[in-house]
Amino acid sequence: MQTHENVSSFRKVVLGSNRKFGLTFAAIFAVFAFLPLIHHHSPHHSPRWILLAVAVLFAAVAMAAPERLDPLNRAWFKLGLLLNRIVNPLVMGLMFFGAVTPLGWIMRKRGADLLNLQLKPDAATYWIARGPASGEGGMTKQF
């Protein structure tokens, strides 16, 4: 997509540590493993043992040999970057066309002219008269 502005970020996005990645996924799998116990409150529902085994495996590898999680961590990171490139413009477009555009239509219907763009043939000038600067110094020391 070609636009008039550069939309790339100036921040450098760095890959997280393999140990944090492994422990995070261990926690996620553990939550999903115990979800039937929390959700149904019935003694007949048991944890999902496969997910619990995967959680234990992720935790063990994260603690003992986190470098073995590097390919998964990199793949997950690249998936996140790809999703960012797809989802971010969609969300911003939905926000614009779902909120900003209807608000503009409503204001146009009401005849609002927030920027004073209407021509006034009888006006001597379009300059806005300002009073003296408020406060001490009048913004001479902004930073």
Side-chain angles (χ1 to χ4, degrees):
M1 174 168 71
Q2 186 69 11
T3 61
H4 66 281
E5 50 186 285
N6 183 7
V7 294
S8 64
S9 176
F10 296 106
R11 280 188 318 192
K12 181 165 176 61
V13 182
V14 294
L15 183 68
S17 76
N18 294 329
R19 179 166 282 138
K20 286 182 183 178
F21 170 78
L23 292 176
T24 301
F25 266 79
I28 290 170
F29 280 117
V31 166
F32 279 112
F34 290 114
L35 202 57
L37 297 176
I38 299 168
H39 186 41
H40 294 291
H41 300 293
S42 173
H44 300 296
H45 294 284
S46 63
R48 295 183 179 117
W49 297 108
I50 302 281
L51 293 179
L52 189 60
V54 172
V56 169
L57 180 70
F58 263 101
V61 172
M63 295 308 287
E67 66 277 357
R68 302 203 60 177
L69 292 174
D70 192 56
L72 289 175
N73 193 7
R74 289 191 185 282
W76 187 256
F77 182 73
K78 288 181 181 179
L79 177 66
L81 291 177
L82 176 68
L83 286 175
N84 177 46
R85 291 186 64 106
I86 295 170
V87 172
N88 193 21
L90 288 175
V91 169
M92 294 304 287
L94 284 173
M95 285 175 52
F96 181 78
F97 290 113
V100 177
T101 302
L103 184 64
W105 287 340
I106 291 169
M107 292 179 71
R108 185 178 291 176
K109 279 285 196 196
R110 289 183 160 186
D113 185 22
L114 297 179
L115 297 177
N116 281 334
L117 296 177
Q118 284 197 337
L119 296 176
K120 300 171 188 157
D122 57 332
T125 181
Y126 285 103
W127 282 95
I128 299 172
R130 302 278 185 213
S134 62
E136 255 181 61
M139 292 182 62
T140 57
K141 296 180 181 178
Q142 296 181 37
F143 301 103

